[in-house]
Amino acid sequence: TADSTSIAHNSSTTLRWTIGNAISADTTCTPALGPTNWTSSGNKTIPTGSWPTGNLTGPANYTYRLTCVGPGGTTSDSVTVVVGGPPQPPTVDLTADSTSIIDNTSTTLNWTIGNATSTDTTCTGAGPTNWTGTKSVPTGSQSTGNLAGPNTYTYTLSCTGPGGTGSDSVTISVSSPPPPYVELWVNNYY
């Protein structure tokens, strides 16, 4: 058996065995199938024993078999350890309610972070001053504040977790201020 038959990438478990109808004087138990560090690890103790697998990488399945030979014949048993894949980098989706606005107005930025939790991932904004700094995980929103035109403003959100770094950007286009408005009239006529 294994203490755990399903483990995370780059972690380990312990194999354990019990041999019945056998004594160490007349029975030999040998690793017959599995990773090299198991098959080359030599004869195993009788009637019980344990062996740490060492860290295993995934995604992969590792099957370990122990074969015992004694006066009454040969028997074997096996266990498979399923190892998950390595952690993936965060996925970052940064959007704006509107990417084209008029002078001296605002819009709202919204973000969703995948492959992440607030305990293992840090997200930081880059761009205009009021956007910089740490952002919430896994979701959040923030107003841009009023923006002056004509100009473009690019906002970037970068997130780093156990699997690496992901980022996304959005650009807001701000139009020119409207021209002055003049009305001229004479004798109540426009």
Side-chain angles (χ1 to χ4, degrees):
T1 65
D3 286 355
S4 177
T5 56
S6 180
I7 61 176
H9 170 77
N10 202 32
S11 61
S12 67
T13 187
T14 297
L15 307 180
R16 302 183 187 277
W17 58 88
T18 300
I19 314 301
N21 298 327
I23 59 174
S24 57
D26 64 11
T27 302
T28 302
C29 291
T30 306
L33 175 71
T36 302
N37 65 338
W38 166 249
T39 57
S40 64
S41 61
N43 293 346
K44 300 307 174 193
T45 56
I46 298 170
T48 62
S50 63
W51 186 82
T53 62
N55 285 6
L56 302 174
T57 58
N61 295 342
Y62 295 82
T63 298
Y64 298 82
R65 179 176 295 136
L66 184 62
T67 298
C68 297
V69 179
T74 301
T75 188
S76 65
D77 194 17
S78 61
V79 63
T80 298
V81 178
V82 179
V83 183
Q88 298 298 304
T91 59
V92 183
D93 183 27
L94 177 64
T95 62
D97 286 353
S98 177
T99 56
S100 181
I101 60 176
I102 62 174
D103 174 68
N104 201 35
T105 62
S106 67
T107 187
T108 298
L109 305 175
N110 306 283
W111 62 92
T112 301
I113 314 302
N115 297 330
T117 68
S118 59
T119 58
D120 67 11
T121 302
T122 301
C123 294
T124 305
T129 302
N130 67 341
W131 171 247
T132 59
T134 302
K135 305 303 176 186
S136 61
V137 177
T139 61
S141 63
Q142 179 180 324
S143 172
T144 61
N146 285 3
L147 301 175
N151 209 343
T152 58
Y153 299 81
T154 298
Y155 298 80
T156 299
L157 183 61
S158 298
C159 298
T160 301
T165 299
S167 65
D168 194 17
S169 297
V170 64
T171 298
I172 311 299
S173 298
V174 184
S175 62
S176 301
Y181 180 78
V182 178
E183 277 190 340
L184 180 63
W185 67 91
V186 177
N187 295 329
N188 294 326
Y189 289 97
Y190 289 102

